Every structure is written in C-alpha cells, then in structure tokens.
Amino acid sequence: MKFEPRPADHSVNVTARHPLADATILVLGLGGVLLLVTIVLAFFADALVARISVKTEMRWFGGMSLPTVVDEFETTSTSEEQALSDLLERLTQHWESDYTFRMRISDSAAPNALAFPGGLIVVTRGLLDNVESENELAFVLAHELGHFRNRDHLRGLGRGAAVSLVVGAMTSGGSGGFGFGVADIALRGFGREQETDADVFALSMVYAEYGHVGESWRFFERIQSAYGDGNAVLNYLETHPLPSSRIDDLKRLARERDWPTEGTLVPWNPGSDTPQD
Amino acid sequence: MGEFTLLVNIGLPLTVLVIAYLTGSYLERRHFADIRKREARMQRFPTTTFETLPDDWEVADCELMAESVVVSLDYFKRVIAGLRAIIGGRITTYEPLLDRARREAVLRVTEKAKAEGFDAVINLRLETSRLANSDSGQGIGGVEILAFGTALLRTQR
C-alpha cells in the first residue's frame, strides 16, 4: 500500500460557533434568569416585611443608634433639635402610627435626610443650614415619614438580603461581580418607585399641616440648580428619580388635588432669638 | 456622584473585556494561520504514534525529542468560561486554545527533528499539565502541552 500524507482535519476539535455569539447567549440568558430570581426574592422579602408589625419593628430596632451608618451625631440637645422634634410631632398628628420617632442631626455637609428601622430619622447639618423655610423642611421630614408608612427601610433590608443571596450564589461560580450588577440594576426601579410614593405622601401631609404646598419642592430645586440632572443615560441607573421629574410630578399632583401652591411661609430659624422679618 | 463609580465599576471592566477580545482573537487567528502553514510544510515528514519500527527500517541514530508550549487565556475567554461554569455545557472558548497548544507542540517536535537531520518521529505522546490554580479561580489561566517522541535516523542504503 502506498502511503499518501494528507493534512489532518482539526475542525472537530474547535466548535465553529463564534465566541461573540456564545458570549451574547450566556450574558443575556444568565442576566435574564438572575433578574427574575432577584425580583421574585425581592417580592418574597416585601411580603415578609408586610407581616412584621410596627410594634415588632420598634421592639427589634427601637434602641438602635446606628453610629456606623451615620458618621457623627451632634450630641448636644440644642434648641434646633427641639424645634425639629416639635415640627415632626406636628406632622405626625396627621398620621396615626405605632412608631415612636427619634430625630438626630448628623454632621454631614451633604444635604440629606435618612429613615432607619425603629423610627430613627437623621437629618444632616447640610440640610438644616440650607433650608429657607419651615415648609421646605416639613416636606423633607414628611418624605421620610412616607418611607416609614410604606415600610421602605425594612423592605430595603429585605432586598439587600435578596441581592446578597443572588450574589452569593454567583460568587461560588466565580462571577460575583456580574451577579451583583444584575441584581443591583433589577432593584433600582423599585427604589425610584419608593421615592415617588414617599413624595406623594409627603405632599398630602404638608397640605394637611399648612393648608398649601408652597415651597415643598424647593429642596429639589436647589439640588437641581447645584448638581443639574446629570447625564441622561447614566441617570437611568440612579436610585432616586431626577429632581426635575420629581418637581414636575409634585406640581401635577398639587394641580390635580387643587392644593394651593402658594401661601404664607413659616420661617425656619431656631437657635436665633430674634424673629425673622 | 454615581457617574464616576459607575464608570469605574462597569466601564473599566467592559473596556478590558473588549481589548482582551480584540487582541486575543487577533493573536489566535495569526497563530492558526502560522500553524496551518507549518503543518503543510511538515506534511511529508513521517510522524507516528507507533512504538515499533517498520520491519525494513535500520536505525543509525535516535534521540528523545521533548518540546512544550504554554498558551495563555485572555480575559474575554476567562469571563465567558466563568459564566459557562455556572450553567454547564461546553466551554467553546477554551477549545481553540487547546487545539493551538497541541498542534504547536507537535510541530515543535517534528520541526526540531527535521532540523537536526532526523528522518522520522515515532511513539509521539502528548502530556498536559495545569498551570492555572483552578481551586480558587485566581492565578494565570493557561494551558501547557508537552509533546515528546523518538526521532530516528535511518542508515543510508
């Protein structure tokens, strides 16, 4: 037999499918499944939170001071803190709940207010130093009360747990970053919805207290003029709705409910003894 | 605030992924083209896995040829393989890597044998070792293939 050398056929060892096709199927498929799992887990967490009564929450978290979350508290009980508590108490008269609220002032210069489990509300020095009227501050506090009414702070914990579960499952496969990205983005929509709900609640509360909703969106206006709306594409990924769209939503709501958008403003100047003109 | 963090968290890995894909697939195409050209050149050089000689062969000299090659994974291949590892199935991005390493290793043995004046390589064997520390998934991912065989010089008649 005459031997005739031929080139070997190597095609069997390498799958002909393009690597990018493989990558697309994997990323879209896995991303979709993870998205679904995160959303289902988040719904379970929400259902669980709905079964935890406010009384139970106060028992679990009532004594919590959270020094690790908020940098530093101002410890002195100033007239400003007293004024804040008074304002909060007036607002809570429009909403019956089992919560016992506590107010704290944080040293942070970034204007912000935060709601924590157990009825703890933290406002920053940066917010207090910049508010122009009590009405503006009342809206921000009422917004945090809205988070308590919707149990958002607890739902946040539940969803955090859901994300941790998904990330944990992915990490054992060596792709924790991918899992975290997907889970995080899946829950951003929820976050924005929560903010909008709290805004609606806050506006109704401000109306109940003052009889008008003037200056309610002053806080967002100042944020917008300071930071702008930012990049439109990146904003899709933000946890909070855009300041401009929040202002629009609030104005529309006031128009629909026939709430006056102008009225007598109450000055906010605790600490200074001379009344503002 | 979030824009910079987002850029670092998503943009940077994505850029590395694209660069890795482009460089990785360029180098792979170039390597395959090179392998095909050299294989065509070595086509008539007798290379077998038999342990025994043909009956009519008389051997004047023989030598062990052992050549190895190490080919690295690129980041793109590794990421895709990581995702694949979650659901299972064929890791197709690794297949060309192994194919390249095997063929390159065999070529190094036969080309060396030919360059040193031998007539054939018999009893060709392939070994592979794992360089990547696959326990933790860290470390440099890659493949090492060792090819070895007996190079023969026939007596001239």
Side-chain angles (χ1 to χ4, degrees), chain B residues 15-68:
Chain B
T15 311
V16 176
L17 205 64
V18 169
I19 292 174
Y21 172 72
L22 293 176
T23 55
S25 56
Y26 168 72
L27 290 174
E28 187 164 285
R29 266 199 313 276
R30 209 177 63 166
H31 191 197
F32 269 128
D34 181 57
I35 286 173
R36 276 191 295 272
K37 207 169 68 196
R38 284 154 65 204
E39 277 176 351
R41 209 184 298 143
M42 296 304 295
Q43 199 176 311
R44 303 199 75 86
F45 188 81
T47 310
T48 76
T49 55
F50 302 148
E51 291 176 13
T52 52
L53 298 178
D55 292 336
D56 56 339
W57 278 29
E58 274 181 43
V59 174
D61 190 16
C62 71
E63 192 181 313
L64 173 71
M65 295 282 148
E67 304 297 320
S68 72

Side-chain angles (χ1 to χ4, degrees), chain A residues 2-7 10 13-15 17-20 22-23 26-27 30 170 173 175 178 185 188 230-231 234 237-238, chain B residues 1-3 6-7 10 21 32 39 43-44 76 79-87 90-93 95-96 99 102-103:
Chain A
K2 177 90 174 76
F3 176 70
E4 189 56 45
R6 288 186 310 272
H10 291 281
N13 290 327
V14 179
T15 306
R17 185 164 43 178
H18 197 280
L20 280 185
D22 206 37
L26 274 174
V27 169
L30 265 173
M170 290 292 289
S175 301
F178 179 70
I185 286 168
R188 296 256 161 139
N231 182 299
L234 291 176
L237 302 169
E238 291 288 348
Chain B
M1 171 215 90
E3 296 188 13
L6 209 68
L7 199 73
I10 297 177
Y21 172 72
F32 269 128
E39 277 176 351
Q43 199 176 311
R44 303 199 75 86
F76 174 80
V79 166
I80 297 308
L83 294 181
R84 176 58 78 186
I86 293 164
I87 55 171
R90 287 192 294 179
I91 304 179
T92 52
T93 51
E95 289 174 355
D99 196 43
R102 270 192 307 263
R103 291 161 74 177

